[in-house]
């Protein structure tokens, strides 16, 4: 039975889920901070006293080094694509934490390096340059740690906003893999040269357990699970159909696709095994409810990878990683829902429009009428469930509904009582957030998931 048929028969239900505190968010944040406190306790219990400028500098270098080593493990864990974290917190939130944590981690690494060299130089009454050379050449595992340091700084540089804008997503993605090598090279130095680990077997075992667990998560969810699912589900391109200028839908067939556990609103990372496409996996949302033997994505040509999808041939093998994201019905706390889409941001909202229970309204914004992708389907869904859909286009002039609190409230007078799912270009979503807040919608009822990773 299709989702539209289910809506007609009223079997999707109408009782909104009970609101719960953001327990997963608080739990994960608490665990991260508890780990940081444990790292500081490791330094505290291993330090008898701190005397003089050299002692203070060396002590600060040890603290920043311990925190940097711990932060590296946390950063890798955040991007290990663990379903429990991803579905409860959202992929975009994990990516923001990773980006912010990366800046702090790089600062800690730089501070550790400078403070240790300076503190050791004061202790041995030698010059800073001489002491740096001695550390690199004479201390155990320091050559590898230095190589890891260079790789980490280089990765931080290419991840900076100015540098990131000058390269493709695929290039940035693969350069980012240098982080794993950097962490691997620096790991031995932490145990061999770290004063807080030398002769302290429990601390060493704890550090091995931390890094071993993160490595196991990374190996399982970034490599083993995608490979196993590719072999089991045997996804292939069935057809590519145009939906609007520069927009196509890619239809895929496979086996036992319900086992993937995809929910409306989620996305996969798609790797198409075709020339020029096989080497990267890009995120695209499902644009139709998943079926046992059929999935569909709808993509706008916004770069080399997305533009090439229009030329895919039927039979092309496809790897689909996970499903990801928390942009699902689980976020809903009210009986009334507004879906606000801009451009190709309609793709996850089209599925939610079909499947969300309750009173649902859709506002779809585009530049021209021809750019309203999937309009026929949206009209059919609206008719089937008795829902309202409003189209807003910039051309011809005078047909656009402004993104203001007053305009939105004129369409939906009780807007403040709605949950709002928002998806579209960054400028549109920023303006929509301001308008929704001005219309009285609480911040915790505005749901948005970014795909700019």
């Amino acid at each position: 039975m299709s989702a539209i048929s289910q809506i007609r028969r009223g079997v999707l239900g109408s009782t909104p889920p009970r609101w719960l505190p953001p327990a997963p968010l608080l739990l994960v944040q608490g665990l991260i901070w508890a780990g940081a406190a444990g790292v500081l306790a490791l330094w505290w219990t291993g330090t008898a006293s701190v005397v003089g400028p050299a002692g203070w500098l060396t002590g600060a270098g040890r603290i920043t080094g311990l925190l940097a080593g711990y932060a590296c493990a946390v950063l890798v864990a955040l991007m290990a694509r663990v379903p429990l974290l991803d579905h409860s917190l959202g992929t975009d939130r994990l990516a923001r934490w990773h980006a912010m944590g990366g800046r702090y981690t790089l600062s800690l690494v730089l501070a550790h390096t400078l403070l240790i060299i300076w503190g050791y130089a004061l202790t041995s009454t030698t010059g800073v340059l001489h002491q740096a050379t001695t550390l690199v050449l004479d201390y155990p595992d320091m050559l590898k740690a230095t190589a890891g340091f260079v790789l980490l700084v280089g990765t931080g540089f290419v991840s900076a906003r100015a540098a990131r804008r000058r390269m493709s997503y695929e290039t940035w993605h693969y350069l980012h893999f240098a982080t794993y090598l950097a962490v691997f090279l620096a790991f031995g130095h932490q145990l061999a040269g770290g004063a807080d680990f030398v002769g302290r077997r429990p601390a060493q075992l704890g550090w091995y357990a931390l890094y071993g667990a993160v490595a196991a998560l990374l190996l399982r969810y970034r490599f083993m699970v995608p490979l196993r699912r590719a072999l089991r589900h045997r996804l292939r391109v069935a057809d590519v159909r145009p939906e609007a200028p520069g927009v196509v839908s890619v239809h895929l067939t496979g086996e036992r696709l319900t086992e993937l556990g995809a929910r409306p609103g989620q996305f996969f990372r798609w790797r198409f095994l075709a020339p020029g496409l096989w080497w990267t996996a890009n995120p695209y949302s499902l644009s139709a409810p998943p079926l046992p033997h059929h999935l569909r994505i709808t993509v706008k040509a916004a770069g080399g990878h997305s533009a090439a999808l229009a030329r895919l041939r039927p039979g092309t093998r496809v790897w689909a990683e996970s499903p990801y994201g928390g942009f699902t019905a689980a976020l809903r706390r009210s009986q009334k829902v507004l879906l606000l889409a801009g451009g190709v941001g309609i793709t996850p909202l089209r599925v939610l429009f079909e499947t969300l229970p309750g009173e649902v309204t859709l506002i779809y914004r585009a530049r021209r009428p021809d750019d309203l992708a999937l309009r026929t389907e949206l009209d059919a869904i609206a008719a089937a469930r008795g829902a309202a859909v409003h189209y807003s286009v910039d051309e011809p002039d005078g047909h656009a509904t402004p993104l203001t609190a007053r305009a939105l409230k004129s369409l939906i007078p009780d807007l403040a009582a709605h949950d709002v799912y928002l998806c579209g270009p960054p400028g549109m979503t920023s303006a929509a957030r301001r308008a929704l807040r001005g219309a009285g919608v609480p911040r915790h009822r505005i749901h948005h998931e970014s795909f700019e990773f």
Side-chain angles (χ1 to χ4, degrees), residues 13-56:
S14 59
T15 303
R18 182 170 60 90
W19 181 82
L20 294 174
L25 176 64
L26 298 178
L27 177 60
V28 173
Q29 289 177 332
L31 288 174
I32 292 174
W33 285 111
V39 167
L40 293 176
L42 180 64
W43 172 83
W44 181 266
T45 57
T47 303
S49 62
V50 179
V51 180
W56 283 104

Coordinates of all heavy atoms in Angstrom, one line a residue, residues 13-56:
G13 N -2.0 7.8 11.5 CA -2.2 8.3 12.9 C -2.1 9.8 13.0 O -1.6 10.5 12.1
S14 N -2.6 10.4 14.0 CA -2.6 11.8 14.2 C -2.2 12.3 15.5 O -2.1 13.5 15.8 CB -4.1 12.3 13.9 OG -5.0 11.7 14.9
T15 N -1.8 11.4 16.4 CA -1.3 11.8 17.7 C 0.1 12.3 17.7 O 1.0 11.5 17.3 CB -1.5 10.7 18.7 OG1 -2.8 10.3 18.8 CG2 -1.1 11.1 20.1
P16 N 0.4 13.5 18.0 CA 1.8 14.0 17.9 C 2.7 13.3 19.0 O 2.2 13.0 20.1 CB 1.7 15.5 18.2 CG 0.5 15.6 18.9 CD -0.5 14.6 18.5
P17 N 3.9 13.0 18.7 CA 4.8 12.4 19.7 C 5.0 13.3 20.9 O 5.0 14.5 20.8 CB 6.1 12.2 19.0 CG 6.1 13.2 17.9 CD 4.7 13.3 17.5
R18 N 5.1 12.7 22.1 CA 5.3 13.5 23.3 C 6.7 14.1 23.3 O 7.7 13.4 22.9 CB 5.2 12.5 24.5 CG 5.4 13.2 25.9 CD 5.0 12.3 27.0 NE 5.8 11.1 27.0 CZ 6.9 10.9 27.7 NH1 7.4 11.9 28.4 NH2 7.6 9.8 27.6
W19 N 6.8 15.3 23.7 CA 8.1 16.0 23.7 C 9.0 15.5 24.8 O 8.6 15.2 25.9 CB 8.0 17.5 23.9 CG 9.3 18.2 23.9 CD1 10.0 18.6 22.8 CD2 10.1 18.6 25.0 NE1 11.2 19.2 23.2 CE2 11.2 19.2 24.5 CE3 9.9 18.5 26.4 CZ2 12.2 19.7 25.4 CZ3 10.8 19.0 27.2 CH2 12.0 19.6 26.7
L20 N 10.3 15.2 24.5 CA 11.2 14.7 25.4 C 12.4 15.7 25.5 O 12.8 16.3 24.4 CB 11.7 13.3 25.1 CG 10.7 12.2 25.2 CD1 11.2 10.9 24.7 CD2 10.2 12.1 26.6
P21 N 13.1 15.8 26.6 CA 14.3 16.7 26.6 C 15.3 16.1 25.7 O 15.3 14.9 25.4 CB 14.8 16.6 28.1 CG 13.6 16.1 28.9 CD 12.8 15.3 27.9
P22 N 16.3 16.9 25.2 CA 17.3 16.4 24.3 C 18.3 15.6 25.0 O 19.5 16.0 25.1 CB 17.9 17.7 23.7 CG 17.7 18.8 24.8 CD 16.4 18.4 25.5
A23 N 17.9 14.4 25.5 CA 18.8 13.6 26.3 C 20.0 13.1 25.5 O 21.1 13.2 26.1 CB 18.0 12.3 26.8
P24 N 19.9 12.7 24.2 CA 21.1 12.3 23.5 C 22.2 13.4 23.4 O 23.4 13.2 23.6 CB 20.6 11.9 22.2 CG 19.2 11.5 22.4 CD 18.7 12.4 23.4
L25 N 21.7 14.6 23.2 CA 22.6 15.8 23.1 C 23.3 16.0 24.4 O 24.5 16.1 24.4 CB 21.8 17.0 22.7 CG 22.6 18.3 22.6 CD1 23.6 18.3 21.5 CD2 21.6 19.5 22.3
L26 N 22.6 16.0 25.5 CA 23.2 16.3 26.8 C 24.1 15.1 27.2 O 25.2 15.4 27.8 CB 22.1 16.5 27.8 CG 21.2 17.7 27.6 CD1 20.1 17.7 28.7 CD2 22.0 19.0 27.6
L27 N 23.7 13.9 26.8 CA 24.5 12.8 27.2 C 25.9 12.8 26.5 O 26.9 12.6 27.1 CB 23.8 11.5 26.9 CG 24.5 10.2 27.1 CD1 24.9 10.0 28.6 CD2 23.7 9.0 26.7
V28 N 25.8 13.0 25.2 CA 27.1 13.1 24.4 C 28.0 14.2 24.9 O 29.2 14.0 25.1 CB 26.8 13.2 22.9 CG1 28.1 13.4 22.1 CG2 26.0 11.9 22.4
Q29 N 27.4 15.4 25.1 CA 28.2 16.5 25.6 C 28.8 16.2 26.9 O 30.0 16.5 27.2 CB 27.3 17.8 25.6 CG 27.0 18.3 24.3 CD 26.1 19.5 24.4 OE1 25.3 19.7 25.4 NE2 26.1 20.4 23.4
G30 N 28.0 15.6 27.8 CA 28.5 15.2 29.1 C 29.6 14.2 29.1 O 30.6 14.3 29.8
L31 N 29.5 13.2 28.2 CA 30.6 12.2 28.0 C 31.9 12.9 27.5 O 33.0 12.5 28.0 CB 30.2 11.1 27.1 CG 29.1 10.1 27.6 CD1 28.7 9.2 26.5 CD2 29.7 9.4 28.8
I32 N 31.8 13.8 26.6 CA 33.0 14.5 26.1 C 33.6 15.3 27.1 O 34.9 15.2 27.3 CB 32.6 15.4 24.9 CG1 32.1 14.5 23.7 CG2 33.7 16.2 24.5 CD1 31.6 15.3 22.5
W33 N 32.9 16.0 27.9 CA 33.5 16.9 29.0 C 34.0 16.0 30.1 O 35.0 16.3 30.7 CB 32.4 17.9 29.5 CG 32.2 19.0 28.5 CD1 31.1 19.3 27.8 CD2 33.1 20.0 28.2 NE1 31.3 20.4 27.0 CE2 32.5 20.9 27.2 CE3 34.5 20.3 28.6 CZ2 33.1 22.0 26.7 CZ3 35.1 21.4 28.0 CH2 34.4 22.2 27.1
A34 N 33.3 14.9 30.4 CA 33.8 14.0 31.4 C 35.2 13.4 31.0 O 36.1 13.2 31.9 CB 32.8 12.9 31.7
G35 N 35.3 13.1 29.7 CA 36.6 12.6 29.3 C 37.7 13.6 29.4 O 38.8 13.3 29.8
A36 N 37.3 14.9 29.1 CA 38.3 15.9 29.2 C 38.7 16.1 30.7 O 39.9 16.3 31.0 CB 37.8 17.2 28.7
A37 N 37.8 16.0 31.6 CA 38.1 16.1 33.0 C 39.0 14.9 33.4 O 39.9 15.1 34.2 CB 36.8 16.1 33.8
G38 N 38.7 13.7 32.9 CA 39.6 12.6 33.2 C 41.0 12.8 32.7 O 42.0 12.4 33.4
V39 N 41.2 13.4 31.6 CA 42.5 13.7 31.0 C 43.2 14.7 32.0 O 44.4 14.5 32.3 CB 42.4 14.3 29.6 CG1 43.7 14.9 29.2 CG2 42.0 13.2 28.7
L40 N 42.5 15.7 32.4 CA 43.1 16.7 33.4 C 43.5 16.0 34.7 O 44.5 16.3 35.3 CB 42.2 17.8 33.6 CG 41.9 18.8 32.4 CD1 40.9 19.8 32.8 CD2 43.2 19.4 32.0
A41 N 42.7 15.1 35.1 CA 43.0 14.3 36.4 C 44.2 13.5 36.2 O 45.0 13.3 37.1 CB 41.8 13.4 36.7
L42 N 44.4 13.0 35.0 CA 45.6 12.2 34.7 C 46.9 13.0 34.9 O 47.9 12.6 35.5 CB 45.6 11.7 33.2 CG 46.7 10.8 32.7 CD1 46.8 9.5 33.5 CD2 46.6 10.5 31.3
W43 N 46.9 14.3 34.4 CA 48.0 15.2 34.7 C 48.1 15.5 36.1 O 49.2 15.5 36.7 CB 47.8 16.5 33.8 CG 48.8 17.5 34.2 CD1 50.1 17.6 33.6 CD2 48.7 18.6 35.1 NE1 50.8 18.6 34.2 CE2 49.9 19.3 35.1 CE3 47.7 19.0 35.9 CZ2 50.2 20.4 35.9 CZ3 47.9 20.1 36.7 CH2 49.1 20.8 36.7
W44 N 47.0 15.8 36.8 CA 47.0 16.2 38.2 C 47.6 15.2 39.1 O 48.5 15.5 39.9 CB 45.6 16.6 38.6 CG 45.5 17.0 40.1 CD1 45.3 16.3 41.2 CD2 45.7 18.4 40.5 NE1 45.2 17.1 42.3 CE2 45.5 18.4 41.9 CE3 46.0 19.6 39.9 CZ2 45.6 19.5 42.7 CZ3 46.0 20.7 40.7 CH2 45.9 20.7 42.0
T45 N 47.2 13.9 38.9 CA 47.7 12.8 39.8 C 49.2 12.5 39.5 O 49.8 11.9 40.3 CB 46.8 11.6 39.6 OG1 46.8 11.2 38.2 CG2 45.4 11.9 40.1
G46 N 49.6 12.8 38.3 CA 51.0 12.5 37.9 C 52.0 13.6 38.1 O 53.2 13.5 37.7
T47 N 51.5 14.7 38.7 CA 52.4 15.9 38.8 C 52.5 16.2 40.3 O 51.6 16.6 41.0 CB 51.8 17.1 38.1 OG1 51.6 16.8 36.7 CG2 52.7 18.3 38.2
A48 N 53.8 16.0 40.8 CA 54.0 16.3 42.3 C 54.0 17.8 42.6 O 53.4 18.2 43.6 CB 55.3 15.7 42.7
S49 N 54.7 18.6 41.8 CA 54.7 20.0 42.0 C 55.1 20.7 40.7 O 55.7 20.1 39.8 CB 55.7 20.3 43.1 OG 57.0 19.9 42.7
V50 N 54.8 22.0 40.7 CA 55.2 22.8 39.5 C 56.0 24.0 40.1 O 55.5 24.8 40.8 CB 54.0 23.3 38.8 CG1 54.4 24.2 37.6 CG2 53.1 22.2 38.3
V51 N 57.2 24.1 39.7 CA 58.1 25.1 40.3 C 58.8 25.9 39.1 O 59.4 25.3 38.2 CB 59.2 24.5 41.1 CG1 60.2 25.5 41.7 CG2 58.6 23.6 42.2
G52 N 58.8 27.2 39.3 CA 59.5 28.1 38.4 C 58.9 28.2 37.0 O 58.0 27.4 36.6
P53 N 59.4 29.2 36.2 CA 58.8 29.4 34.8 C 58.9 28.1 33.9 O 58.0 27.8 33.2 CB 59.7 30.5 34.3 CG 60.2 31.2 35.5 CD 60.4 30.2 36.5
A54 N 60.1 27.4 34.0 CA 60.2 26.2 33.2 C 59.2 25.1 33.6 O 58.6 24.5 32.7 CB 61.6 25.6 33.4
G55 N 58.9 25.0 34.9 CA 57.9 24.0 35.3 C 56.5 24.4 34.9 O 55.7 23.5 34.4
W56 N 56.2 25.7 35.0 CA 54.9 26.1 34.5 C 54.7 25.9 33.0 O 53.6 25.4 32.5 CB 54.6 27.6 34.9 CG 54.3 27.8 36.3 CD1 55.1 28.2 37.3 CD2 53.1 27.5 36.9 NE1 54.5 28.3 38.5 CE2 53.2 27.8 38.3 CE3 51.8 27.0 36.5 CZ2 52.2 27.7 39.2 CZ3 50.8 26.8 37.4 CH2 51.0 27.2 38.8

